[in-house]
Amino acid sequence: MSEAMKRAYEHSEKWLKGLKTARVNAVASEAQLRLAFAGPLPQTGCAAPEVVDYIADNAKDGLLGSAGGRFFAWVIGGGVPSALAADWLVSTWDQNAAVYASSPASAVIEEVAGEWIKELLDLPKGASFAFTTGCQMAHMTALASARHAVLAKYGWSIEDDGLWGAPQIKIFTSGNRHGSVERAARYLGLGRKCFHPVATDELGRMLPEALEREMADYDGPAIVALNAADLNVGACDPFAELIPIAKQKDAWVHCDGAFGLFARASRKKKHLVAGIELADSWVTDGHKWLNVPFDCGIAIVNDPKAHRAAMTLAVDYVASSQSARDQMDWNPEWSRRARGVPVYAALKEMGRNGVEDMIDRCCTFCLEIVQGIGAIDGAEIVSVPTLNQGMVRFTRNGNSDEQNDTYTLEIMEAINASGEAFFSDTIWHGRRAMRVSVVNWRTTKKDVQKTIAIITKVLTA
Ligand SMILES: *Cc1c(COP(=O)(O)O)cnc(C)c1O
């Protein structure tokens, strides 16, 4: 056992050291990866250390440097040292963190981590929470709580009677919602047609007068799903105006803050999500802006009764201690790893100040990269970041818009192929743009300069 662990540690150390200088892109082709890993199911075994070496050696060219400081694609995040190390411990302990009885220490650590998260994000102290695999399952958990609560108002028990014959639920939301909201609704049997679109301004923020208008004639069970930062411009819905409108119609308000909810940890950025504390449920990720390793999502629900009712099994045979928290009462999973432990570690390592510093740093670097790119000949800024998301595009004299769409993609691919920095693209208002997303604690001023330098080089070439 220890030799395999030692090898894993050595590979990990090499990998982490390499993040500063190694290529950010994957260079192995799909065919190479298949060649390396495919083959018949082994008839006989192989020594554990060899297995570890084999996987590490053959995977490395097919991995992205997404844990490093020059990775700006999607919204990924890295892992702060204590969180990564704590994640190893969680694997080593190999506890089933389903209930207190099956791992007392995990239950207590996760309980504290959840309390700390609520405090960090300045959300109601009495809210309940769950550590899930990601925001996707956090949506499902929170929306299951919402479904319970809005149907209970109509005397309907979703847990007993299911959805057949239940009053129809409408989800009022903008077109700017993340796809995971829709998928969570599908998991819950609500279906795509339950979505009722609400108009936005040009940045994608829901318009209060539009919500008021859309809800005016409706008096059935309602959920209003709002956005704390979208992926393109980091646009946040005007919560302080929207939530009272929803509340007047007795709706449940759910907020997607996969990364944006962390704006609440920054005194400089908190105003962007002002009023969000008035909502009924929030979801966010540990594996994005908190920088704990995959996977970790968090659901927070300001109606613990609805939350518990939606998730609990309350089975008799699992010993339940009166005061301790059984995670299974709040999670969609049964057996599970204690993914709240790395969260505890990250918060203990950084403290409130450290998290705030990381959030502010990411926002500053995002702005610097966008402005730096914008100053290069042949590049233009599409959106100046207000949080940690910005957009740029590349243009050539005489090009049509369509040609510049293709050109932007070509330049982005050339930047990515350089191995010096890595970006992803999007369509914004019908035109292609390159996103600049900064969520990693490892990104430094030097990374920013190096990134702008490589883009300049690619554009010049
Ligand atoms: C990433 C993201 C999600 C999905 O979160 P997962 O952790 O990948 O499940 C949902 N909403 C937004 C805004 C996101 O950025």
Side-chain angles (χ1 to χ4, degrees), residues 75 134-137 139 178 180 229 231 256 258-259 285 287-288:
V75 183
C135 218
Q136 173 69 76
M137 290 312 283
H139 274 309
H178 191 270
S180 56
L231 291 166
D256 182 355
F259 57 96
D285 268 320
H287 56 221
K288 284 180 180 171

Side-chain angles (χ1 to χ4, degrees), residues 34 48 54 65 83 113 119 124 130 149 189 241 309 311 379 389 420 424 437 439:
R34 285 190 193 288
Y54 187 87
E119 200 179 331
E241 291 171 73
M311 288 298 134
Q389 306 291 313
E420 298 279 333
S424 59
S437 166
V439 261

Side-chain angles (χ1 to χ4, degrees), residues 74-75 132-139 176-181 183 227-231 256-260 283-288 294-297 435:
W74 307 297
V75 183
T132 60
T133 47
C135 218
Q136 173 69 76
M137 290 312 283
H139 274 309
N176 216 18
R177 65 173 179 268
H178 191 270
S180 56
V181 180
R183 195 154 70 141
N227 266 323
D230 79 318
L231 291 166
D256 182 355
F259 57 96
V283 291
T284 191
D285 268 320
H287 56 221
K288 284 180 180 171
F294 286 100
D295 48 25
C296 178
R435 291 182 49 232

